[in-house]
Amino acid sequence: MSTGTESDFVYFLYDLATYLLNGITQGSVYALVALGYTMVYGIIKLINFAHGEFYMIGAFIGFFCISSGMPLWMAFPCAMIGSGLVAVIIERMVYRPIRYAGRIPALITALGTSLFFQYFGQNTLGADPKAFPKVTDFENKTYQFGELFVSTNQIVIISTTFILMVFLYWLVNHTRTGKAMRATSFDKNAAELMGIDTNKIISFTFFVGASLAGAAGVLVGMYYNTVEPMMGLIPGLKAFVAAVLGGIGIIPGAVLGGLVLGIAENLVVGFWVSTYRDAIAFGILILILLLKPSGLLGKNRKEKV
Amino acid sequence: MDYIIHLALMSGIFIILAVSLNLINGICGQFSLGHAGFWAVGAYSAAAYSVYWAPPILDFLNLFIACGIGFITAAFAGILIGVPCLRLRGDYLAIATLGFGEIIRILIMNMDVIGGPRGFTGIPKWSNLFWVYLWVVITILFVVNLMRGTHGRAIISIREDEIAADSMGIYTFKYKTMAFVLGAGFAGIAGALFAHATQFLHPNGFTFMWSVIILLMIILGGLGSITGSVIGAIILTILPELLRFFGETVSQWRMVIYSLLLIVLMLWRPGGIFGKHELKIPFFGKKENA
């Protein structure tokens, strides 16, 4: 026989486990988007405001592919490649000419690009949220462990994120292209002198980052069952917070930051006021910028003249 | 006629907002994306004054007090935000101010006394053309005179080169905070006038998008140019109304046009139309040899 307080405690543990699980699910989505931010920042020191929009574009490509009857295993790579290509085009047309103009003009341009995609999407696709179609070759089941419910969707999101991250780790650390990427982010001019086509490497970085965001978009579409043109704004900003939290420019930092942010948010929603959910992310951002601007995993660097 | 008067009122309010943001972004060179937040603070506190505490005195006196309250509260928010954030530079500062702007909006959304998500209604209509444009003139004169004096020179030197200014003995943190707080305060005045012009406030009327639109106004006119930001504010207040004459579809594409404008301006004229130059008005003001 359990006493009242004991069962209260058990329920509390189940609650906690549920919010942690939701947090990890959401955190892995943030981590996927944050990786793109961090890679682009690492390589050209640009805060790519439009990154959240690549996530939106990925979700919409997934939406149209699945609506037309494509199975998930085909729609998923389509969305990744599609949003990657959009990112490469944008990099080519907008970010490359502005690259040497300084950081603030580049930031404003990125802001403009982000607004362009949001409102262009709103005017062409309609502002109302659309129901994500049912995926034919995949059934969402819920498994129960005591009072803890785990859905197939959550398992798919967490495992896909894990696989993509392992792939990214391999790509950056164990391939020639990855070596070129690291060299370019370390010193662009020196890399160019060593015969690396830095423009191509930067385009490739945009492609990889945006396709990860596109993947996150499809996963979120499946998880929440809706897609809309404005869906990229808030997750984009939060993924940026995650990237800064982990240390911008550091790839494992983005993953850590994403998970921490996702868990913190869900704990706030679970145990405090749910309307403060968005405020928490920005609160974390400001705290981290003031206490340790280089991020959790970053090293402090003195500013040079 | 009412319509034109309303447009003129809004132009005046946006001129104050643009000039005050120009003080932060263009003149001091600190990139802030949270201007709509200060605007909201000023608007809501002034509206709370006139709804809950306004004594039965002449309307324009009450409006004057409301503007004062808007200035003080927004400037206080500016101190709260500026002191920690102004240690950051460039794009980090932009993101931090953006975050604070959103936090302010979420806090207002959760305050039931001032309407919360329902919006704040019942604000008396005290703003008229005379008082709005009086504040426009006060704001412009203040900023222009500030730029001419010692403090202004110090603030401009921070924009030109912060490290050099620091090593010349200018206490950069103090002047950055000064510019930031004054800019926030004037945005608060614009908020007070706005609240008493539209008589209705809603937290979603102060989103991040409005910070971007105010930013676009000063970029259009030229970062650092007062006359430029006046003209930018007028253009961007009137343009959407003009677009309405071209049919519903064109005005729907307003934000797409704005964003393309932002990108194209940055690619071709990053300094804005006027750059740092002022538009010279003949027979008005003395010649400057600066």
Side-chain angles (χ1 to χ4, degrees):
Chain A
M1 284 292 287
S2 61
T3 60
T5 48
E6 241 175 68
S7 67
D8 272 0
F9 185 65
V10 169
Y11 275 115
F12 170 75
L13 282 187
Y14 276 125
D15 263 4
L16 189 66
T18 309
Y19 291 123
L20 280 181
L21 184 72
N22 289 344
I24 292 171
T25 315
Q26 202 162 27
S28 43
V29 170
Y30 290 153
L32 275 180
V33 185
L35 279 171
Y37 264 114
T38 244
M39 286 167 73
V40 168
Y41 189 87
I43 213 155
I44 52 171
K45 301 280 174 288
L46 163 76
I47 294 179
N48 183 11
F49 256 108
H51 197 68
E53 272 53 61
F54 299 143
Y55 158 94
M56 181 267 286
I57 290 166
F60 266 100
I61 295 175
F63 169 80
F64 286 121
C65 283
I66 294 173
S67 300
S68 64
M70 231 184 242
L72 184 64
W73 61 267
M74 264 169 79
F76 199 70
C78 273
M80 286 180 69
I81 292 170
S83 53
L85 286 180
V86 174
V88 169
I89 294 168
I90 287 299
E91 196 271 333
R92 196 60 201 248
M93 280 172 59
V94 179
Y95 292 152
R96 193 171 294 181
I98 202 88
R99 206 184 289 156
Y100 299 100
R103 288 167 75 164
I104 294 304
L107 185 74
I108 297 171
T109 315
L111 204 64
T113 315
S114 162
L115 288 177
F116 172 74
F117 277 118
Q118 282 166 17
Y119 287 94
F120 186 77
Q122 224 174 43
N123 285 331
T124 49
L125 303 165
D128 46 324
K130 291 172 183 53
F132 205 75
K134 231 178 152 37
V135 186
T136 45
D137 56 339
F138 169 81
E139 203 182 342
N140 190 17
K141 283 192 210 121
T142 310
Y143 304 97
Q144 192 176 3
F145 302 98
E147 290 293 310
L148 178 66
F149 296 91
V150 184
S151 68
T152 331
N153 258 338
Q154 287 176 322
I155 298 170
V156 166
I157 289 180
I158 295 171
S159 52
T160 316
T161 309
F162 185 74
I163 294 166
L164 286 174
M165 277 166 193
V166 171
F167 172 74
L168 185 70
Y169 180 81
W170 172 79
L171 180 76
V172 172
N173 288 314
H174 295 281
T175 60
R176 265 180 84 84
T177 324
K179 205 178 218 173
M181 279 161 77
R182 280 180 289 147
T184 310
S185 87
F186 192 74
D187 189 335
K188 195 157 149 287
N189 293 332
E192 212 154 295
L193 289 174
M194 293 295 132
I196 295 170
D197 187 348
T198 49
N199 276 336
K200 220 187 226 166
I201 292 298
I202 290 170
S203 287
F204 183 70
T205 311
F206 266 87
F207 179 82
V208 174
S211 56
L212 290 176
V218 179
L219 292 174
V220 163
M222 278 164 56
Y223 188 48
Y224 291 122
N225 276 319
T226 51
V227 282
E228 53 164 332
M230 284 293 182
M231 69 187 277
L233 179 66
I234 293 293
L237 289 176
K238 284 184 186 165
F240 173 77
V241 175
V244 174
L245 179 62
I248 196 153
I250 307 164
I251 289 179
V255 180
L256 178 73
L259 289 176
V260 169
L261 184 63
I263 291 171
E265 255 185 15
N266 275 280
L267 290 181
V268 166
V269 172
F271 296 107
W272 200 33
V273 197
S274 60
T275 38
Y276 283 125
R277 177 191 197 128
D278 293 347
I280 275 302
F282 292 116
I284 289 179
L285 172 73
I286 286 153
L287 270 186
I288 196 83
L289 283 179
L290 296 178
L291 299 178
K292 200 165 183 306
S294 52
L296 290 176
L297 299 183
K299 292 182 208 75
N300 273 321
R301 227 179 302 155
K302 273 263 170 351
E303 196 163 335
K304 277 184 275 183
V305 180
Chain B
M1 195 60 206
D2 275 356
Y3 177 66
I4 291 170
I5 288 177
H6 179 74
L7 264 187
L9 275 178
M10 294 312 287
S11 302
I13 289 163
F14 278 110
I15 289 171
I16 301 178
L17 281 170
V19 170
S20 61
L21 184 67
N22 211 345
L23 180 62
I24 303 174
N25 277 19
I27 297 172
C28 190
Q30 302 303 307
F31 197 76
S32 161
L33 276 178
H35 219 55
F38 301 123
W39 185 26
V41 169
Y44 268 94
S45 52
Y49 164 78
S50 53
V51 170
Y52 293 121
W53 298 298
I57 46 175
L58 286 174
D59 282 355
F60 71 88
L61 278 178
N62 261 333
L63 180 68
F64 199 78
I65 297 170
C67 286
I69 286 175
F71 182 88
I72 290 166
T73 47
F76 186 68
I79 293 175
L80 279 185
I81 294 168
V83 168
C85 282
L86 285 170
R87 287 197 286 162
L88 306 165
R89 284 184 188 186
D91 28 19
Y92 278 107
L93 177 69
I95 303 289
T97 46
L98 192 169
F100 265 121
E102 283 297 294
I103 289 178
I104 287 174
R105 199 171 65 80
I106 294 166
L107 286 179
I108 290 173
M109 198 78 119
N110 283 300
M111 272 189 232
D112 211 43
V113 197
I114 47 174
R118 292 188 312 275
F120 198 10
T121 47
I123 306 162
K125 188 165 175 65
W126 288 339
S127 296
N128 55 30
L129 279 182
F130 175 73
W131 292 107
V132 167
Y133 279 89
L134 183 71
W135 279 110
V136 169
V137 170
I138 292 173
T139 311
I140 293 174
L141 283 182
F142 183 88
V143 174
V144 168
N145 279 320
L146 180 76
M147 270 173 81
R148 284 197 187 134
T150 325
H151 298 306
R153 296 289 178 208
I155 289 171
I156 293 172
S157 75
I158 294 171
R159 170 188 73 191
E160 297 299 334
D161 192 329
E162 193 172 336
I163 295 164
D166 213 358
S167 51
M168 296 309 280
I170 289 167
Y171 187 13
T172 51
F173 180 70
K174 178 182 136 193
Y175 284 110
K176 281 200 282 188
T177 316
M178 184 194 257
F180 196 78
V181 169
L182 285 174
F186 279 109
I189 290 180
L193 294 169
F194 177 74
H196 294 97
T198 57
Q199 297 174 273
F200 174 71
L201 297 174
H202 193 275
N204 284 347
F206 301 98
T207 49
F208 167 57
M209 195 189 82
W210 283 103
S211 299
V212 176
I213 291 178
I214 303 168
L215 179 72
L216 181 56
M217 287 170 185
I218 63 171
I219 288 172
L220 194 68
L223 283 167
S225 159
I226 304 292
T227 37
S229 47
V230 171
I231 289 167
I234 294 173
I235 290 176
L236 279 194
T237 323
I238 306 224
L239 186 68
E241 306 300 328
L242 284 181
L243 286 179
R244 210 164 277 179
F245 288 117
F246 295 103
E248 203 47 45
T249 41
V250 181
S251 73
Q252 260 180 16
W253 287 80
R254 175 174 74 110
M255 282 308 292
V256 178
I257 296 169
Y258 282 7
S259 54
L260 284 178
L261 199 63
L262 206 57
I263 298 172
V264 168
L265 268 177
M266 277 297 118
L267 286 176
W268 283 331
R269 259 193 95 80
I273 293 173
F274 288 92
K276 285 170 194 163
H277 302 289
E278 297 292 346
L279 192 68
K280 293 280 188 322
I281 305 164
F283 317 115
F284 190 75
K286 60 179 184 228
K287 270 189 192 142
E288 246 190 303
N289 303 315

